[in-house]
Amino acid sequence: MTRTPGRCGRLALRAGAFVCVLASAAASAASAASAAVTPLRVAHASYVWRNVTVGGGGFAPDIIFSRAQRGLAYLRTDMGGVYRWSGRRERWLPLEDPIAQSSYFGIESVAADPVNPNVVYVAAGMYAREPAAILRSEDRGRTWQIFPTSFHMGGNEPGRGVGERLAIDPSDRSILYFGSRYDGLQRSTDRGETWSRVASFPIHGMGWQAAAPDETGISFVVIDPASGKAGRPSRRIYVGVTDAGSEHLFRSDDAGRSWMAVAGQPRASLLPVHGELDSNGVLYITYSNGVGPNGVTDGAVFRYDTRSGQWTDITPERGPHHASGGYMGLSVDAERPGTVVVATLNRWDPGDILWRTTDGGRTWRNVRTLSRRDVSATPFLLWGEPQADFGWWIAGVAIDPFDSGHVAYSTGATVYATRELRNADRGREVLWKPWVRGVEQTAVLTLVSLPKGPHLLSGFGDISGFAHEDLARSPKEQFTHPVFSNTDEIDYAGLDPRVVVRGGTRAPRSVAGAPTLAYSLDYGRSWELLRPPSAASVITVSADGRAFMATMAVRRPLGATSRATVTSMATPSFVTLDRGRSWTPVRGLPRGAHPIADKVAPETFYALDFKHAGLYVSTDAGRTYRRRVSRGLPVTLTDDVPTSVEQQWPLMATPGKRGDLWVVAREGLFHSTDAGRSFARVEGGVSVVDLAFGKAPPGRNYPALYAVGMQGTTNAIWRSDDEGISWLRINDARHEYGRQYRCIAGDPRIFGRVYVGTDGRGIVYGEPRS
């Protein structure tokens, strides 16, 4: 989705206060549609919001320990915002939930004040084309001041694991430096409020529109605390650069007034990705031949003695036969100079390694071979295997500056931590556990709440999906047999919810042609493969659970005059009545149609004809379709064709109601009670984007409706207790989640409960405040 910035000056964000909204092009269109509607009633309902627990689940590029206070740490994620560790509550606390600007959830860098533990700075901006800002907090992230920047960031782009780019001068803490991707070295002298480019720095940046994807500018800024005095700027600064060129490390000895390339640095093909200085003045640097998190095949580790100017190659594995891959994660021990931990990157075979040295790199110990992982708190990390993987994409490594045995490292799916790292010195086992309690950093693609069995079934990007028996505990395992990379769609039989089907994309390590469909006969707890005659990724189940319909979804234009790129049916659809033992081609279904099942009538399926704004109906369990004349829909629905299988399909059938259908269109919300023969537009004052059904309000027999939608420029979560005639806003300014709402499901067993899948903050669910 392309987003365009609004005008925001200096902004103050406090819990409960709305700040700055970035409306998307789609939101603008929805807002224009809703402007013509006179709402009958719009009000707020008081809700309590929580996360459904999975535990981690995504890429957190780095962990930042405070050097000012024991037990204080921050975690930056690539699309889920920034977290703070609370030792008192023994969990990570999300710090950006009140922020409405989705771009600020892509974290480029974090800097914790080295003296005042209450002060922290965050460089926030998810993609180069989106707004970016420096966030400053005086109370450990409880509230924020937001200073939009003219330079661009890429917290979820290639090179997001390098760092840290943001640095506070320890001698004069009003001075900050930020190593930007596209706009050179930036400096602030007013604690992050305003910024200017350091004109003397030799790398000015290419500008975000001209830079190639692998040109990510400055990777780290390191300030030597021994080179300054209180109240006067530090003189020595080191800056790593990953852009093409013959020199990648630069030094200033006069507080940034002039710069020189550091003599003797490694060959130009190696890029400095992480740098840290120890208390003896030795700068340790990890190098890779790419910025990651993918595509790295070579690398090295060097130490640079800043006092003598001597470089030493201290790469743990050298020689012509070392495994492919580079290095990225790096941390020096604040208590013990010469003690360093580094991590390999993209060492896929036999796997990435943590290396530890206690003598400045002369000798190294392989920590991986001594490690055991206990993932009982987040068992999905087993991925259906007997043991959890050590991890991949290890971009962040952090040694606690107050406890040398306490070390954490980040991976593509979790953060591991141990308090036993010093066991490695004696060759003893090191126990690691996920350090993610409170972290929900996932992209949620689909949600279904069943009338029986687990309250919630979920489909995720990258981690398949889950049956959630207990919302406060991480599920025992992912959906397996098969494990999907993405689970894009889940459907259940309206009269027999034991029968569930799902479709998705095969896992990266699975064989070509691996199944992308599965069914369950126990509410989604266990699964069996489905193999239709043609590859398929979209599946629907009849109300009685007898018929499965499978269709291949591909992206192609709907027609010469349509602007839509369609998730359409390029190959025939097939239906099976015997759990996949035999399949019958579907007849009469137009291209671009996605069948859905009536939730009560077992033989009935419906499909939208987008081009002609009509319905096709099957009354023989999906085997044949005939066009049905429909009144009341817009003239055309070509602009409502989903561009991805991850999007909600516009046509929906109401649970428990025969022939009751809804169409979610750009022109409005349309409702039919006669199996699609006629539709009426529902004028409720909210332009609905995603719709869901939940338990009926007390005293009524029609399901409560839940929606993600727009009123004016406000994208929010809504509930209707009167079939869409009026809506209550049920989230508030403390629960914005970047307004990154991807899917929604109402609970059919608990009135008022709604589940919302976000793009970066996992699954949140709300219930009326008692």
Side-chain angles (χ1 to χ4, degrees):
M1 182 181 294
T2 301
R3 304 181 180 99
T4 54
R7 292 185 177 271
C8 303
R10 176 177 171 174
L11 305 172
L13 178 65
R14 299 189 181 274
F18 172 73
V19 187
C20 177
V21 179
L22 187 69
S24 68
S28 298
S31 149
S34 66
V37 175
T38 302
L40 300 180
R41 179 167 66 95
V42 176
H44 287 75
S46 181
Y47 260 60
V48 176
W49 290 90
R50 305 178 180 90
N51 265 112
V52 174
T53 298
V54 172
F59 184 35
D62 211 358
I63 311 107
I64 298 90
F65 281 106
S66 168
R67 291 178 177 263
Q69 182 171 309
R70 177 187 290 270
L72 178 59
Y74 294 90
L75 180 70
R76 67 173 173 96
T77 73
D78 59 0
M79 58 186 292
V82 64
Y83 290 78
R84 184 186 80 243
W85 176 253
S86 170
R88 180 178 62 86
R89 298 174 63 179
E90 295 187 330
R91 65 185 300 118
W92 292 96
L93 305 178
L95 301 181
E96 293 190 55
D97 287 353
I99 293 180
Q101 171 55 264
S102 62
S103 181
Y104 295 166
F105 280 67
I107 307 304
E108 188 87 286
S109 192
V110 173
D113 191 293
V115 176
N116 185 345
N118 293 324
V119 176
V120 62
Y121 298 85
V122 172
M126 194 171 298
Y127 299 109
R129 65 182 182 274
E130 297 180 351
I134 297 296
L135 283 57
R136 184 180 74 200
S137 177
E138 313 279 349
D139 53 12
R140 308 186 187 198
R142 293 183 183 89
T143 62
W144 296 100
Q145 290 177 291
I146 300 178
F147 308 109
T149 63
S150 59
F151 48 86
H152 298 260
M153 301 187 197
N156 195 28
E157 294 194 348
R160 57 193 182 272
V162 307
E164 287 293 307
R165 300 173 183 267
L166 186 61
I168 304 168
D169 189 329
S171 300
D172 183 348
R173 299 184 341 269
S174 65
I175 298 175
L176 282 78
Y177 288 88
F178 178 69
S180 76
R181 289 171 172 260
Y182 313 111
D183 300 283
L185 181 64
Q186 302 282 331
R187 177 168 51 204
S188 172
T189 58
D190 54 10
R191 303 180 65 236
E193 297 188 22
T194 60
W195 295 80
S196 59
R197 188 165 64 184
V198 179
S200 60
F201 190 71
I203 307 300
H204 294 165
M206 306 185 65
W208 73 273
Q209 292 176 310
D214 59 346
E215 292 179 322
T216 54
I218 294 170
S219 52
F220 61 78
V221 179
V222 174
I223 302 172
D224 186 350
S227 68
K229 296 180 180 179
R232 300 176 63 183
S234 298
R235 299 187 307 277
R236 280 191 297 277
I237 309 167
Y238 301 91
V239 176
V241 176
T242 62
D243 284 349
S246 58
E247 296 162 328
H248 297 290
L249 184 67
F250 297 86
R251 169 176 177 161
S252 175
D253 294 318
D254 53 12
R257 287 188 292 273
S258 64
W259 298 84
M260 67 187 78
V262 176
Q265 57 187 277
R267 65 186 189 273
S269 62
L270 291 179
L271 308 177
V273 287
H274 269 262
E276 287 199 18
L277 188 70
D278 76 3
S279 57
N280 284 342
V282 176
L283 181 64
Y284 292 88
I285 304 175
T286 50
Y287 284 85
S288 286
N289 64 347
V291 294
N294 283 319
V296 172
T297 59
D298 193 14
V301 183
F302 278 80
R303 54 173 284 164
Y304 170 62
D305 189 324
T306 63
R307 296 169 184 174
S308 68
Q310 180 179 355
W311 285 89
T312 306
D313 183 349
I314 57 170
T315 307
E317 290 183 300
R318 282 175 278 178
H321 302 298
H322 73 275
S324 176
Y327 291 85
M328 185 163 284
L330 163 71
S331 187
V332 301
D333 192 326
E335 295 183 322
R336 293 172 173 78
T339 296
V340 184
V341 177
V342 300
T344 65
L345 184 72
N346 293 176
R347 192 179 185 270
W348 301 109
D349 186 15
D352 280 312
I353 295 174
L354 282 187
W355 294 95
R356 182 172 189 258
T357 179
T358 57
D359 56 14
R362 286 188 289 274
T363 61
W364 293 90
R365 180 161 313 254
N366 183 335
V367 178
R368 178 188 176 116
T369 59
L370 300 171
S371 294
R372 180 171 67 88
R373 288 157 306 284
D374 174 1
V375 298
S376 55
T378 54
F380 77 91
L381 291 170
L382 292 170
W383 302 87
E385 301 294 332
Q387 296 183 7
D389 194 278
F390 189 76
W392 62 97
W393 285 13
I394 306 178
V397 176
I399 303 173
D400 188 334
F402 298 94
D403 181 356
S404 298
H406 183 206
V407 179
Y409 70 93
S410 63
T411 77
T414 195
V415 177
Y416 282 114
T418 185
R419 292 190 177 273
E420 302 177 350
L421 189 69
R422 296 183 66 183
N423 283 359
D425 298 342
R426 298 180 291 277
R428 296 179 182 174
E429 179 183 88
V430 178
L431 175 64
W432 300 87
K433 295 182 179 181
W435 192 28
V436 292
R437 186 166 182 248
V439 177
E440 299 297 334
Q441 212 277 104
T442 49
V444 188
L445 307 182
T446 187
L447 295 172
V448 166
S449 185
L450 300 175
K452 295 181 180 179
H455 268 278
L456 185 66
L457 303 180
S458 62
F460 284 80
D462 298 331
I463 57 171
S464 195
F466 304 92
H468 300 267
E469 307 275 1
D470 182 343
L471 302 182
R473 292 180 178 272
S474 184
K476 292 182 179 179
E477 64 179 0
Q478 298 175 343
F479 290 154
T480 58
H481 199 245
V483 172
F484 293 160
S485 177
N486 293 2
T487 295
D488 299 319
E489 183 177 37
I490 302 172
D491 192 19
Y492 71 96
L495 300 178
D496 187 1
R498 294 174 300 174
V499 183
V500 184
V501 294
R502 63 183 170 105
T505 57
R506 65 183 182 88
R509 299 182 187 181
S510 60
V511 298
T516 55
L517 300 179
Y519 73 94
S520 170
L521 301 179
D522 58 2
Y523 305 100
R525 295 184 174 105
S526 63
W527 298 88
E528 298 295 333
L529 307 178
L530 279 173
R531 295 180 182 271
S534 298
S537 55
V538 175
I539 188 164
T540 308
V541 58
S542 61
D544 61 358
R546 179 167 169 254
F548 299 160
M549 182 173 295
T551 312
M552 176 61 184
V554 297
R555 299 174 69 174
R556 58 184 299 175
L558 177 65
T561 61
S562 173
R563 297 195 304 270
T565 302
V566 183
T567 300
S568 68
M569 311 309 148
T571 58
S573 298
F574 293 87
V575 65
T576 178
L577 303 178
D578 55 11
R579 304 289 188 250
R581 289 188 291 275
S582 62
W583 296 83
T584 302
V586 173
R587 292 181 295 164
L589 190 66
R591 181 168 63 86
H594 175 350
I596 66 158
D598 191 291
K599 286 298 183 182
V600 176
E603 302 295 314
T604 304
F605 285 78
Y606 310 94
L608 267 182
D609 180 355
F610 290 97
K611 191 171 184 180
H612 301 102
L615 274 189
Y616 281 78
V617 181
S618 171
T619 56
D620 60 359
R623 284 168 286 190
T624 60
Y625 284 79
R626 290 181 174 85
R627 182 173 171 78
R628 172 169 291 174
V629 176
S630 297
R631 300 186 307 275
L633 287 175
V635 174
T636 180
L637 295 169
T638 53
D639 286 338
D640 295 298
V641 180
T643 58
S644 166
V645 293
E646 298 173 4
Q647 293 177 257
Q648 184 185 71
W649 206 254
L651 179 63
M652 305 184 70
T654 307
K657 300 291 181 181
R658 182 188 296 264
D660 200 278
L661 303 174
W662 292 81
V663 172
V664 180
R666 293 196 182 197
E667 289 194 25
L669 187 62
F670 297 85
H671 185 203
S672 171
T673 58
D674 57 6
R677 292 176 177 85
S678 63
F679 284 86
R681 179 170 174 171
V682 181
E683 305 280 3
V686 171
S687 182
V688 174
V689 177
D690 291 306
L691 184 69
F693 309 93
K695 184 177 181 178
R700 303 193 182 188
N701 62 6
Y702 196 89
L705 301 182
Y706 298 92
V708 173
M710 303 287 296
Q711 185 190 53
T713 59
T714 300
N715 185 22
I717 305 167
W718 309 84
R719 190 187 85 216
S720 174
D721 297 339
D722 53 14
E723 301 179 45
I725 295 173
S726 62
W727 295 90
L728 297 166
R729 182 179 176 185
I730 57 177
N731 72 315
D732 54 41
R734 294 182 298 111
H735 302 94
E736 296 278 18
Y737 308 111
R739 299 185 178 178
Q740 302 182 95
Y741 312 126
R742 293 192 68 145
C743 52
I744 188 168
D747 194 308
R749 288 176 267 183
I750 300 175
F751 169 68
R753 181 186 281 182
V754 62
Y755 307 93
V756 180
T758 72
D759 198 16
R761 274 288 285 117
I763 306 169
V764 296
Y765 72 102
E767 296 176 304
R769 192 180 299 274
S770 57

